[in-house]
Amino acid sequence: MRNRLKVLRAERDWSQGDLAERLEVSRQSVNAIETGKYDPSLPLAFRIADLFGLPIEAIFLRDA
């Protein structure tokens, strides 16, 4: 699964640490999600979507 997390974070000028703090996860978790090494749980995906004010499918994209 691909995602737009890095782009959305950069648009807000947030570091990975800033985003992690807002989501109440570790910076390493944010990095792993951004690099595609880890797919977030559904509750975390909803928190991410809520934080950015977007639907989940606008952030997380299926691999073709």
Side-chain angles (χ1 to χ4, degrees), residues 11-59:
E11 288 174 354
R12 288 154 181 81
D13 200 31
W14 292 346
S15 68
Q16 287 183 342
D18 294 333
L19 180 56
E21 189 175 312
R22 287 172 168 85
L23 294 172
E24 299 180 346
V25 298
S26 70
R27 186 203 56 79
Q28 291 86 350
S29 293
V30 170
N31 180 269
I33 294 168
E34 285 186 355
T35 59
K37 294 178 181 166
Y38 171 73
D39 291 334
S41 65
L42 194 52
L44 178 54
F46 273 109
R47 289 202 323 261
I48 292 167
D50 289 344
L51 179 64
F52 288 107
L54 295 168
I56 289 176
E57 57 271 14
I59 300 171

Side-chain angles (χ1 to χ4, degrees), residues 1-4 39 56-64:
M1 178 168 57
R2 295 176 296 125
N3 67 74
R4 299 179 50 228
D39 291 334
I56 289 176
E57 57 271 14
I59 300 171
F60 297 97
L61 313 162
R62 271 190 264 191
D63 287 328

